[in-house]
Amino acid sequence: MFFASGYVLGALWMSKETNTPLPQQEIYDLCKIIVQSGRNYSKRHQLPCPLMYAYYQVEYLGAAHGLCSILQTLISVPGYLEASPTDAADIKRSIDYLLSLQGDEGNFPAATDEIGYQPELVHWCHGAGGTIYLMAKAYLVFKEDKYLQSCVRMADLIWNKGLLKKGPGLCHGVAGNGYTFLLMFRLTGDVKYLYRALEFYNFMNSSDFKNAARTPDNPHSLYEGLAGTACYVADLTHPNTAHFPFSDVFTL
Ligand SMILES: [Zn+2]
C-alpha cells in the first residue's frame, strides 16, 4: 500500500505541476483499496488503530514507509473525505490514534513495536521530522487546534534535538529537519521558525558539522544527499512558498 499511496501522491503532484485535471474516479478507487487494505490488516491483528499497514512485517508509523504518509496522502486527495464518509471516519480516527502516541518530548515512535518507549529518532523518515507534515495537513483540513499544537511540540523537539550527524540531506539529515521550520513559518507566520531554519543552515556550514557528519550512502541523491540540501537552501530564499519536496501541504 506504500506504493499505491506514493502513486496517488505522485498523481496529485503531476496534476498540479502540469495543470491537468486529476483522473478523479481512478484516484478515489485507489484510495478505497488503500483504506480497505489498512482496515483488513488492523482487524486481522486486532489493533486499536482502524487502519494499519506493515512493511517487511514491521508496522512503521513514520513518513518514509509508514502510516503517517499514507494518511497524509488520503486527506490530501480533493473531495475524497466528503465523498467517502465511512473511510473519512476511519482515516480521522487513525490520525487521532497516531496523535495519541505523541510522547512527553513531542516525538513519535518509529513503529508500533516502539510504543511505550521513549522514541529516539528525530528524522523525516522516522519520528517528528516527518510526522509533522501529516499533523499540519490535518490541521489545514479539519481546522482543529490539537493538530497545530502537536506540530508546535514537534518543532520545539526538532529545535532541541534535530541537528543530526547523518549528513546534510532530507531523509535523516539536517536539511530534512530544517524544512519543518519552513513548514511552521508558513503555517503560523511566526518569524521564530524562520530564524530556526536559518540556524540549521548555518550549522551545516560549521566546522563542527563538517568534521563530524557522516557521508550518506547516496551522497548526491534527493533524499539522502546534496540534491535535497540544495532544495532546502533554495527554499530559504523564498520561505513564503518553501516546501519539502513533493510534500507541499498548502497546495497538494
Ligand atoms: Zn531516513
Side-chain angles (χ1 to χ4, degrees):
M1 284 309 123
F2 303 101
F3 303 112
S5 172
Y7 179 87
V8 172
L9 201 57
L12 294 181
W13 183 79
M14 287 282 285
S15 166
K16 187 187 82 162
E17 290 294 314
T18 61
N19 204 21
T20 49
L22 202 65
Q24 190 185 67
Q25 197 51 51
E26 280 96 329
I27 296 297
Y28 282 15
D29 289 347
L30 260 177
C31 290
K32 283 213 165 302
I33 293 168
I34 294 169
V35 170
Q36 194 54 48
S37 166
R39 214 178 259 142
N40 293 345
Y41 182 92
S42 178
K43 282 210 178 89
R44 199 161 60 242
H45 296 269
Q46 298 181 309
L47 300 174
C49 187
L51 307 177
M52 187 56 73
Y53 307 85
Y55 184 67
Y56 289 104
Q57 283 84 50
V58 179
E59 293 156 3
Y60 286 105
L61 301 173
H65 36 68
L67 178 66
C68 92
S69 280
I70 295 178
L71 297 173
Q72 184 187 331
T73 299
L74 292 169
I75 63 172
S76 298
V77 175
Y80 183 66
L81 298 179
E82 294 78 8
S84 316
T86 310
D87 289 359
D90 278 350
I91 292 165
K92 186 163 189 298
R93 281 174 54 218
S94 298
I95 296 171
D96 288 345
Y97 172 77
L98 200 52
L99 183 65
S100 77
L101 300 180
Q102 188 164 26
D104 296 339
E105 284 191 315
N107 205 5
F108 286 85
T112 53
D113 56 9
E114 290 183 10
I115 293 172
Y117 300 96
Q118 182 85 285
E120 291 294 328
L121 300 176
V122 184
H123 301 170
W124 172 79
C125 51
H126 300 294
T131 308
I132 197 167
Y133 296 95
L134 167 64
M135 294 306 167
K137 188 69 189 177
Y139 173 64
L140 294 169
V141 170
F142 301 115
K143 314 271 190 300
E144 292 178 26
D145 191 58
K146 62 184 179 182
Y147 302 120
L148 179 62
Q149 291 314 312
S150 171
C151 292
V152 168
R153 293 181 63 209
M154 283 188 268
D156 285 344
L157 167 77
I158 292 163
W159 176 240
N160 290 320
K161 290 196 166 179
L163 290 176
L164 306 173
K165 286 185 174 178
K166 296 181 179 175
L170 300 180
C171 189
H172 34 261
V174 178
N177 277 342
Y179 258 120
T180 64
F181 303 127
L182 291 175
L183 167 77
M184 290 302 287
F185 172 68
R186 287 186 69 186
L187 201 58
T188 66
D190 189 337
V191 292
K192 167 179 80 179
Y193 294 114
L194 204 48
Y195 167 77
R196 290 178 174 184
L198 286 167
E199 284 297 294
F200 269 43
Y201 166 73
N202 288 334
F203 176 72
M204 284 191 282
N205 280 323
S206 70
S207 53
D208 271 359
F209 179 74
K210 285 175 179 164
N211 293 333
R214 295 209 311 256
T215 302
D217 294 338
N218 300 292
H220 305 296
S221 74
L222 176 63
Y223 274 79
E224 273 198 324
L226 287 174
T229 317
C231 291
Y232 180 63
V233 175
D235 269 345
L236 283 172
T237 66
H238 48 92
N240 289 321
T241 54
H243 59 85
F244 191 98
F246 308 112
S247 195
D248 185 354
V249 298
F250 299 96
T251 60
L252 274 189

